[in-house]
Amino acid sequence: MAQNVDPAAAGSGAAWKGSDSGTAITRGSVSKRLQQELMTLMMSGHKGISAFPESDNLFRWIGTIDGAAGTVYDGLRYKLSLEFPSGYPYNPPTVKFLTSCYHPNVDGEGNICLDILKDKWSALYDVRTILLSIQSLLGEPNVQSPLNVAAAQLWSNQSEYKLRLHEAYARQLKS
């Protein structure tokens, strides 16, 4: 796929006459924003988070987050995918765990239940904010709104939860 092409818009073509220039302008402004965010993230020096465009496509990124110190996720590293729509930053990116993540707010497909990625999204958020929020969510799940009910029920027993978490993490490393 061509550089800086929105994957959602790539297959649609020019369905409406005259829409090409507006789409190109939108993609250009989103590309500019994403380039700025990449530079900001690279210069921020935040330990435990990183993200870079996948290949030459600014609309698809691969991110990593390390589990925060003092949490059961300490020492674990997770890979995520971030896909930015043509309406970014007014519409949130789609963010999923690529590394299997045993967590109350993450399902078996890697989908994340986090309000800032849904109804609480703001154009003020950026990739750094998203990654920091997910990193924070690891240690502070919302067990009242679980995607993984078993993990949510086990959360109150931290020693048992940590054992289950590390078993699941080790299994996924072997596969």
Side-chain angles (χ1 to χ4, degrees):
M1 188 169 276
Q3 181 176 6
N4 303 339
V5 174
D6 176 4
S12 65
W16 299 350
K17 195 173 187 175
S19 67
D20 282 346
S21 62
T23 302
I25 291 169
T26 301
R27 281 190 302 224
S29 64
V30 173
S31 293
K32 185 176 180 180
R33 163 87 182 233
L34 290 171
Q35 287 170 342
Q36 289 172 338
E37 288 192 29
L38 179 59
M39 291 305 296
T40 300
L41 187 61
M42 288 174 26
M43 303 301 284
S44 73
H46 277 286
K47 300 272 190 248
I49 64 167
S50 67
F52 297 96
E54 181 180 354
S55 165
D56 62 350
N57 185 349
L58 267 178
F59 287 84
R60 291 180 190 251
W61 291 28
I62 299 295
T64 59
I65 58 171
D66 294 339
T71 71
V72 292
Y73 291 88
D74 190 0
L76 305 181
R77 175 168 283 176
Y78 292 92
K79 188 186 274 190
L80 302 108
S81 68
L82 297 92
E83 290 193 22
F84 299 92
S86 57
Y88 184 79
Y90 302 104
N91 301 108
T94 301
V95 183
K96 291 178 78 168
F97 276 92
L98 296 175
T99 306
S100 180
C101 182
Y102 184 77
H103 189 275
N105 304 118
V106 180
D107 70 13
E109 302 298 313
N111 297 305
I112 305 165
C113 182
L114 180 61
D115 58 358
I116 70 157
L117 295 175
K118 308 280 188 253
D119 58 324
K120 300 287 188 205
W121 175 256
S122 166
L124 298 175
Y125 296 141
D126 59 10
V127 174
R128 185 186 63 80
T129 307
I130 294 165
L131 295 175
L132 289 171
S133 295
I134 294 170
Q135 187 181 48
S136 176
L137 180 70
L138 287 180
E140 300 173 22
N142 179 358
V143 294
Q144 304 306 315
S145 180
L147 286 179
N148 181 334
V149 176
Q153 290 172 341
L154 194 56
W155 181 256
S156 62
N157 182 344
Q158 286 288 281
S159 60
E160 188 65 31
Y161 185 92
K162 184 175 182 176
L163 180 65
R164 184 78 157 285
L165 166 67
H166 285 266
E167 286 173 354
Y169 191 83
R171 266 195 316 273
Q172 81 85 47
L173 284 179
K174 290 179 183 178
S175 61

